[in-house]
Amino acid sequence: MSETANPKPAGGLKAWLTSDTPGSRWQARAINLWFAWSDLVRNPLAVVGLVIITLLILMAVFAPLIASDPPNQQNLANRLMAPGVGGHLLGTDELGRDIWSRIVYGSRVTLQVVALVALTAPVFGLVVGTVAGTIGGWTDRVLMRITDIFLAFPRLILALAFVAALGPGIVNAIFAIALTAWPPYARVARAETLSVRRADYIAAARLQGAGTLRIITGHIMPMCLSSVIIRVTLDMAGIILTAAGLGFLGLGAQPPLAEWGAMISTGRQYLLSNWWVATMPGLAILIVSLGFNLLGDSLRDVLDPRGAQR
């Protein structure tokens, strides 16, 4: 049967996705994805994590419709109003800005940080780890010693050093976080590479004339993807906290941009008298971090059941 022929059984799409005899490679991959998704949604904690992350994305996309006021609109007559007073769901800050609206728009900054770091650091770490594990020798030693140097410093401290050198700002903060986030992915990818590089299918690919680059990109990297995806999801909470920490110290998003860490920084002086100014963005960070952790744990159980049992 050809690769393009995908006849669907009479039972419909679900029967096609649960077939024991896939008619093509594409159908086999679809079946694997379907069973992985079925295992994931059977876990209530995974559903909670998915709901939180989905709400974060919807909040960022539809921020102008969800927010009750412009995020930077000041009204000193309404400063430090308690939650629920004057039509302000979560109260107002020291400049009379609506905290709910600033949290909603701050989700855009958080999602931007998460997306850009997730698209850069894991990819670079995957390349470094698979190259080091496949080639070995001096290449492996040099790349892993560089990785060890980055791992020797706490992530936040190293990010602070990079931002201090580059200058404050959300773009520089994202760049600094990506620079400090790649070493764990390199370690994970190298460990996976060492476990599969002497496999029979790798040897068969070499006998067929496949070069090192083709073996890395076509055979080894796909085997490392599940571990990297799990690590990415589990690392998102740490990335959010690092971005919030930089914002708290004034090195991340700059005023008047709404960012959760910067909101906590400006509200800490009112913590005892007007607790909601710093507490509400702190709760937003807590809930989103919890969502990524719940999803990451569930993905680990689905994509790497042996690692979960260990």
Side-chain angles (χ1 to χ4, degrees):
M1 185 177 293
S2 65
E3 288 289 321
T4 56
N6 293 306
K8 298 184 181 180
L13 180 60
K14 186 174 182 179
W16 184 76
L17 288 172
T18 56
S19 173
D20 293 331
T21 56
S24 67
R25 184 181 304 174
W26 187 87
Q27 184 182 1
R29 292 175 179 173
I31 292 172
N32 288 334
L33 290 174
W34 169 256
F35 281 115
W37 171 256
S38 300
D39 292 338
L40 188 65
V41 297
R42 278 198 294 266
N43 187 338
L45 294 180
V47 175
V48 172
L50 280 172
V51 169
I52 292 174
I53 295 171
T54 302
L55 290 177
L56 172 69
I57 296 173
L58 293 176
M59 184 182 293
V61 173
F62 299 104
L65 301 177
I66 298 174
S68 56
D69 295 287
N72 300 323
Q73 179 177 295
Q74 301 181 17
N75 187 352
L76 296 180
N78 294 334
R79 64 187 302 269
L80 299 177
M81 296 183 69
V85 177
H88 299 285
L89 180 63
L90 301 182
T92 60
D93 62 9
E94 73 283 358
L95 297 177
R97 296 172 297 190
D98 185 73
I99 294 177
W100 163 250
S101 299
R102 290 183 63 78
I103 288 177
V104 169
Y105 276 89
S107 65
R108 289 185 166 184
V109 178
T110 299
L111 198 62
Q112 180 185 6
V113 172
V114 167
L116 292 179
V117 173
L119 291 174
T120 53
V123 174
F124 184 72
L126 180 64
V127 172
V128 171
T130 52
V131 169
T134 303
I135 298 178
W138 282 105
T139 302
D140 182 25
R141 295 189 187 96
V142 171
L143 292 177
M144 287 301 101
R145 294 301 76 78
I146 295 174
T147 303
D148 290 339
I149 292 173
F150 277 85
L151 288 173
F153 297 92
R155 180 179 296 181
L156 181 58
I157 302 300
L158 195 58
L160 284 172
F162 281 122
V163 174
L166 297 172
I170 187 62
V171 175
N172 290 340
I174 294 173
F175 184 65
I177 295 172
L179 283 177
T180 60
W182 67 268
Y185 303 111
R187 279 291 182 186
V188 170
R190 178 179 180 270
E192 291 284 341
T193 302
L194 292 178
S195 66
V196 302
R197 68 174 182 177
R198 300 191 185 281
D200 292 340
Y201 71 91
I202 299 295
R206 292 188 185 277
L207 290 175
Q208 291 177 351
T212 301
L213 180 61
R214 183 176 178 182
I215 289 175
I216 291 174
T217 57
H219 299 280
I220 294 180
M221 280 188 178
M223 294 297 295
C224 301
L225 279 180
S226 61
S227 298
V228 171
I229 291 173
I230 295 169
R231 180 78 195 203
V232 168
T233 312
L234 290 172
D235 273 358
M236 287 300 101
I239 291 170
I240 292 172
L241 291 175
T242 302
L246 293 176
F248 182 86
L249 296 172
L251 298 175
Q254 298 299 296
L257 186 65
E259 195 272 329
W260 295 344
M263 292 172 65
I264 296 175
S265 178
T266 58
R268 72 185 188 278
Q269 57 185 316
Y270 306 101
L271 190 58
L272 297 180
S273 58
N274 307 100
W275 55 269
W276 58 87
V277 180
T279 302
M280 296 305 178
L283 287 176
I285 295 174
L286 172 64
I287 293 172
V288 172
S289 300
L290 178 64
F292 278 109
N293 281 334
L294 292 177
L295 181 60
D297 287 337
S298 303
L299 282 176
R300 180 180 57 193
D301 296 339
V302 172
L303 298 179
D304 188 17
R306 293 175 302 173
Q309 293 172 359
R310 291 196 299 267

